[in-house]
Amino acid sequence: GNWFLHYYQQLLPPLAVAVALACRRLLRRPLPPPRFALACLAALAALVTALPLATGLVAGVDPTTLPEWEPGVAAAAPVAAYLRARTTPDEAIYVAYDHADIYYLAQRRPAARWLHFRELRWTTGAFAEQVARIADPATAPRYIVGAQAFDRWDFDADGALRAIVASDYHLETTIAGVPLYRRND
């Protein structure tokens, strides 16, 4: 599964309530034994010391040096604004491969069935279906956003998607390092 820390932030509010109720209950009891109090103070001191150290480890990291950083992340808002200005609300766009925020920000529906690279990779036939949808003039989007390289994550090994983009689309512009391809009319 996907064990990303931000998936569990929804547990913080009930955890905070549980800690508050436990503290309230502890305060109504007689004073705890000195050993217990010292252990609690030591744990609190360790936590207070560890948190600034942990945040200091990542505070000075430049996101552009991280392996997962891509120009599509920072370019989502200007790319979406560009697409919103040049398409109608009923038109679809395609973002390769996993920047669904561009669909949301542009307020345009996706031409793709799967919006994330994990779905494309782990669903049998998903990538071939995406390519077929883009190749079909009835379902082809007006714009394709190259938020990631077409061969990223070992997709498009045979070059089918790149061939469709090369024959049916032209590079209209690049926004913050992200190419936007427009369908040839």
Side-chain angles (χ1 to χ4, degrees), residues 6 10-11 13 18 58 62 67 92 95 114 128 137 140-141 147 156 168 175 181:
H6 67 272
Q10 63 195 10
L11 298 175
V58 294
D62 179 9
V95 179
W114 292 279
D156 201 30
D168 297 348
I175 299 174
Y181 302 93

Side-chain angles (χ1 to χ4, degrees), residues 97 127 131 150-162:
Y97 289 107
F127 185 75
V131 173
F150 294 127
D151 59 353
R152 177 107 190 238
W153 296 297
D154 298 325
F155 289 132
D156 201 30
D158 61 357
L161 178 59
R162 286 173 283 187

Side-chain angles (χ1 to χ4, degrees), residues 76-142:
V79 165
Y82 184 90
L83 293 169
R84 199 171 41 252
R86 285 161 181 79
T87 58
T88 61
D90 64 325
E91 288 183 280
I93 60 174
Y94 179 65
V95 179
Y97 289 107
D98 72 344
H99 287 285
D101 54 338
I102 295 174
Y103 297 114
Y104 174 77
L105 293 170
Q107 298 174 352
R108 300 298 179 259
R109 61 188 170 81
R113 184 171 169 193
W114 292 279
L115 304 182
H116 198 267
F117 73 92
R118 286 186 180 93
E119 297 167 326
L120 281 174
R121 173 169 293 189
W122 295 334
T123 305
T124 305
F127 185 75
E129 183 182 318
Q130 299 271 95
V131 173
R133 290 173 68 97
I134 292 168
D136 182 1
T139 56
R142 178 183 286 192

